[in-house]
Amino acid sequence: MSDAVASWLKGLDLGQYVKPFEENAIGLEHLPDLDHAILKEIGVHVVGHRMTILKAAAAYASSTPEADSPASSVSTPSPKEIVAGDAERRQLSVMFCDLAGSTALSEKLELEAYRQLLATYQDAARGAIERYGGYIARYMGDGLLVYFGYPVAHEDDAERSVYAGLDIVKAVSCKSAERDNELKVRVGIATGPVVAGDIVGEGASEERVVLGETPNLAARLQGLANPNGVVIAESTKNLVEGRFELVALEPQYVKGLREPVRAYQAQSVRLASRFDAATSRGLSTFVGRQSELQLLVERWSQAKEEDGQLVLLSGEAGVGKSRILREFREHLIQEQFSLLRYQCSPYGTETAFSPFIEQIQHSADITTDDTESVKLDKLDRFLSRVEVDDSRAASLLAALLSLPGDRYPPISITPQRQKLETIEMLVALIECAARREPTLLIVEDVHWCDASTLETLGTLIGRIQNLSAMMLITHRPEFASPWPDYGHVTHHSLNRLSRAEGKRLCEQVTGGKALPDAVLDQILDRTDGVPLFIEELTKTV
């Protein structure tokens, strides 16, 4: 046996197995073919040691040209292995994702079947991670180490990491149902400062790593998660609060940390606008925009008389589109009406009907933790509540929500025909709501809309004028409306605040405390009338 295998085992802190490997002539070329049975036969009787060796063997296999699937070592690099590169200090959200019950699966299945199972799981997880801009730093057998914020940073990396965690659970659950097995995952996420960019290893095994407490905390949180659970650190929770349904867990001591860890289980995405999520801790007083608010009130009065209206609010980021919608909803608080909210997202542009799926899941109270049977039961109750007794509509909804099973008749039509029927079904649901009582539909950030949602909105706009309904759509200036200019459609572009209004906003943020004139002038000059910037810069000052 070569010294390379001996060094490899010692690097795993398993040097006691050098002799068994040597006596059985196991070289580097044999690592991809190892399994629990072989290791037990040569004398590796400790289950944990076998798991460590198999994960590292899969990692080695991924670094060779013959590898079938990517992976990398689980061991922490020694100081001698680290070469100073262009390391930098930055904040990351780090995710650890692990396949639950992998030991039992590996012992139950043949080696090739187990490898195919891992590949299925990894493909499902990779798709979700890449959708939200994550970077898979290492494949560790049945585990993944993922960075959000390195090498490419985004302003909402913490939010992206939680979205990805929930989508990993959803994607793996779907794959599990398709293959009739018990694939489940555990996900842990932590956010904090790290040193990123040091180079570890040489040649094919070279990689850039992050160092700090955050990766260790993410790994510990993954250990706290239930199967198909996503557990996040308090540092992550503070950045995503308002966007997700979170449940606080009991503080627990974990290995390597002196103080008990406060953690939260992320259960589902909240049906809230990005504005509502960002302002969950409070709002400043509403300044200006009285004419815009009055416009919405007038259009609503028309809509209630079965003269349906559409208002398109255009404005750059931070100019106050969502705040106007918030004030309008507050104005209607004493009225009896149905509210349907659809939040478009930069992460959903490749998912057909994404805002409708999110809204229906919220209305039906379907969560990631629900079993397939529970999800179908909740869909049944939702259909009964909205007075849908059409089996075809039920089948289309189940397909839209990716719910498997044979509770509803199968759909045997072309994908294009299914899309058209789905559009008709979604529009019919809204029409039924508007016939029961006045209905307000809010569609935010339509510039991030997927093509199928745009087509559905177009169909609805053509029919809404004869309903007791009003649609409010917000978008940025670069969005070009694809819909005809019907008589019931109003376009309104939001201007920036005047200097006097900006000054009033500053005073609201400071609680009436006067800022020096020079400081106030600088704030107003630099923010150029954009309300969000005025608030944030004033808070910073």
Side-chain angles (χ1 to χ4, degrees), residues 27-71:
L28 291 177
E29 68 275 15
H30 301 123
L31 294 183
D33 298 319
L34 293 177
D35 60 19
H36 279 275
I38 292 173
L39 291 175
K40 191 183 295 186
E41 182 180 340
I42 68 173
V44 185
H45 297 297
V46 179
V47 174
H49 292 173
R50 293 204 300 269
M51 291 176 63
T52 299
I53 291 172
L54 290 175
K55 285 185 178 182
Y60 174 78
S62 72
S63 66
T64 63
E66 294 80 18
D68 291 326
S69 62

Side-chain angles (χ1 to χ4, degrees), residues 288-296 492:
R289 309 303 192 198
Q290 297 303 322
S291 60
E292 285 86 355
L293 186 57
Q294 184 59 37
L295 170 67
L296 299 184
H492 186 83

Side-chain angles (χ1 to χ4, degrees), residues 106-128:
S106 66
E107 293 180 343
K108 176 182 176 182
L109 301 173
E110 295 291 336
L111 176 60
E112 186 58 35
Y114 182 61
R115 290 184 68 182
Q116 290 177 355
L117 192 71
L118 282 183
T120 298
Y121 147 67
Q122 290 173 347
D123 287 345
R126 181 168 56 247

Side-chain angles (χ1 to χ4, degrees), residues 267-379:
Q267 293 188 316
S268 60
V269 178
R270 289 186 62 189
L271 188 63
S273 70
R274 299 169 67 84
F275 173 81
D276 286 343
T279 58
S280 59
R281 297 184 180 181
L283 289 168
S284 60
T285 302
F286 188 54
V287 173
R289 309 303 192 198
Q290 297 303 322
S291 60
E292 285 86 355
L293 186 57
Q294 184 59 37
L295 170 67
L296 299 184
V297 171
E298 292 173 357
R299 294 296 183 268
W300 175 244
S301 296
Q302 293 176 257
K304 289 190 295 183
E305 300 299 325
E306 296 188 359
D307 182 13
Q309 298 291 312
L310 166 64
V311 178
L312 290 148
L313 281 179
S314 170
E316 60 191 302
V319 81
K321 301 183 294 296
S322 296
R323 182 59 189 276
I324 291 172
L325 299 189
R326 175 73 169 264
E327 294 299 320
F328 179 54
R329 297 202 320 269
E330 292 293 325
H331 182 84
L332 303 181
I333 199 165
Q334 300 298 326
E335 297 194 26
Q336 180 67 34
F337 66 98
S338 294
L339 174 63
L340 300 175
R341 301 182 61 180
Y342 305 92
Q343 175 64 59
C344 303
S345 164
Y347 320 127
T349 55
E350 301 301 320
T351 303
F353 303 106
S354 177
F356 287 96
I357 293 171
E358 187 174 307
Q359 192 275 332
I360 292 170
Q361 286 176 332
H362 174 80
S363 296
D365 193 29
I366 294 173
T367 68
T368 305
D369 291 338
D370 293 335
T371 64
E372 300 302 332
S373 177
V374 170
K375 289 177 180 178
L376 288 168
D377 289 342
K378 288 183 175 181
L379 179 59

Side-chain angles (χ1 to χ4, degrees), residues 30-259:
H30 301 123
L31 294 183
D33 298 319
L34 293 177
D35 60 19
H36 279 275
I38 292 173
L39 291 175
K40 191 183 295 186
E41 182 180 340
I42 68 173
V44 185
H45 297 297
V46 179
V47 174
H49 292 173
R50 293 204 300 269
M51 291 176 63
T52 299
I53 291 172
L54 290 175
K55 285 185 178 182
Y60 174 78
S62 72
S63 66
T64 63
E66 294 80 18
D68 291 326
S69 62
S72 81
S73 174
V74 301
S75 58
T76 301
S78 67
K80 290 188 295 184
E81 294 174 283
I82 299 177
V83 179
D86 299 325
E88 57 181 309
R89 185 180 177 88
R90 62 164 73 185
Q91 177 165 289
L92 295 190
S93 287
V94 179
M95 172 194 290
F96 263 89
C97 177
D98 194 58
L99 189 62
S102 58
T103 302
L105 285 171
S106 66
E107 293 180 343
K108 176 182 176 182
L109 301 173
E110 295 291 336
L111 176 60
E112 186 58 35
Y114 182 61
R115 290 184 68 182
Q116 290 177 355
L117 192 71
L118 282 183
T120 298
Y121 147 67
Q122 290 173 347
D123 287 345
R126 181 168 56 247
I129 291 164
E130 291 177 351
R131 185 179 308 123
Y132 296 102
Y135 169 71
I136 302 177
R138 300 184 202 171
Y139 287 86
M140 302 175 293
D142 61 352
L144 290 83
L145 170 63
V146 185
Y147 304 149
F148 290 84
Y150 180 82
V152 178
H154 308 88
E155 63 179 19
D156 55 351
D157 280 310
E159 187 177 312
R160 288 168 179 261
S161 68
V162 182
Y163 269 116
L166 293 173
D167 271 19
I168 288 172
V169 171
K170 187 186 304 181
V172 170
S173 295
C174 289
K175 292 294 184 182
S176 177
E178 290 173 6
R179 298 173 65 91
D180 195 25
N181 54 41
E182 292 298 320
L183 278 179
K184 293 184 178 180
V185 293
R186 293 185 175 92
V187 178
I189 300 170
T191 303
V194 300
V195 174
D198 284 323
I199 300 175
V200 177
E202 297 179 352
S205 62
E206 179 179 299
E207 63 173 300
R208 291 183 178 269
V209 299
V210 301
L211 303 175
E213 184 179 288
T214 304
N216 295 330
L217 177 56
R220 303 304 178 195
L221 293 177
Q222 175 266 317
L224 298 179
N226 294 322
N228 279 351
V230 179
V231 173
I232 67 175
E234 187 167 31
S235 56
T236 308
K237 170 254 185 186
N238 292 337
L239 294 171
V240 304
E241 197 168 15
R243 277 305 286 157
F244 304 92
E245 299 292 347
L246 304 176
V247 176
L249 305 179
E250 287 293 326
Q252 297 189 45
Y253 286 94
V254 298
K255 183 178 178 181
L257 297 176
R258 296 180 181 178
E259 299 297 325

